[in-house]
Amino acid sequence: MSENSAQHRSLTMLKMSLDKVDPSLGSESKSAEITDELRISEAKKFKVMVCGSTSCSRRRKQLMMDEYSTFSGVFTRNKESDVTLGAVEVEDSGCIGSCKKSPVVAVMHEDYAGYVGLEGMTSGEFGDSRFHKVSFEDDIDRVWNCVENAVEQMIEASLTPDDDI
């Protein structure tokens, strides 16, 4: 599979609508099947990369922020999440690109090459597969909400038979 088709599949999978879930499954049936084990299994497939490079660190300092504030914000949300149960890997990474749009956060999924675009990103972010200017609590909340949504969509997809393969 070419890298472009793998990336296209990645974007398609992560943007799946919950409407694709089999309507014959009642919400009680679906929620009964979503165990902590399934949540952890799907959440472990994601990695959130928080750029800690010079450009992103300098931008945080200009905004009077601690250089680890973005990392600690994402890390804390992961640990407190009822969706991911702390299973998403959060990493303080080196440069992940898009330095002019710093501070930057990217998300990876083990089934796909490179960074993935998530539903809820702006069009520029989605095209770049990176969250831009993640500076304040509201920005970190938006990033984390997108990650939780992606995990939930992957959980729902794992419960839905693949009819289109």
Side-chain angles (χ1 to χ4, degrees):
M1 178 183 297
S2 75
E3 186 173 57
N4 283 343
S5 62
Q7 187 172 17
H8 180 266
R9 179 169 158 70
S10 164
L11 297 176
T12 302
M13 286 293 293
L14 293 175
K15 285 191 71 180
M16 285 183 351
S17 168
L18 293 178
D19 295 337
K20 288 205 163 224
V21 176
D22 185 350
S24 67
L25 291 175
S27 59
E28 292 175 27
S29 300
K30 286 188 286 185
S31 62
E33 293 180 52
I34 300 175
T35 63
D36 285 354
E37 183 179 294
L38 177 58
R39 285 188 185 286
I40 290 168
S41 170
E42 289 301 323
K44 278 184 173 182
K45 295 177 183 179
F46 287 87
K47 181 190 296 188
V48 178
M49 312 285 287
V50 178
C51 185
S53 72
T54 304
S55 220
C56 289
S57 292
R58 185 180 314 124
R59 181 67 182 141
R60 285 186 199 93
K61 285 181 184 180
Q62 289 171 347
L63 295 168
M64 307 303 278
M65 299 169 62
D66 179 84
E67 77 178 275
Y68 296 107
S69 60
T70 308
F71 173 80
S72 65
V74 173
F75 185 85
T76 300
R77 282 161 180 78
N78 180 43
K79 291 298 176 196
E80 295 173 353
S81 174
D82 292 334
V83 175
T84 65
L85 303 173
V88 170
E89 184 177 346
V90 180
E91 182 176 301
D92 183 35
S93 74
C95 183
I96 56 178
S98 300
C99 299
K100 292 184 183 205
K101 299 169 184 163
S102 64
V104 181
V105 174
V107 178
M108 299 179 80
H109 188 278
E110 72 178 26
D111 291 343
Y112 308 103
Y115 306 128
V116 294
L118 300 179
E119 191 174 315
M121 287 178 149
T122 65
S123 60
E125 291 172 336
F126 192 83
D128 201 23
S129 296
R130 293 167 184 82
F131 289 94
H132 303 150
K133 299 183 179 183
V134 181
S135 303
F136 304 106
E137 291 296 317
D138 289 347
D139 303 318
I140 297 169
D141 284 340
R142 185 174 66 85
V143 168
W144 191 251
N145 288 336
C146 291
V147 171
E148 283 185 330
N149 184 51
V151 170
E152 288 175 330
Q153 289 181 2
M154 297 304 280
I155 290 168
E156 292 295 332
S158 73
L159 297 174
T160 305
D162 271 338
D163 295 332
D164 54 331
I165 294 183

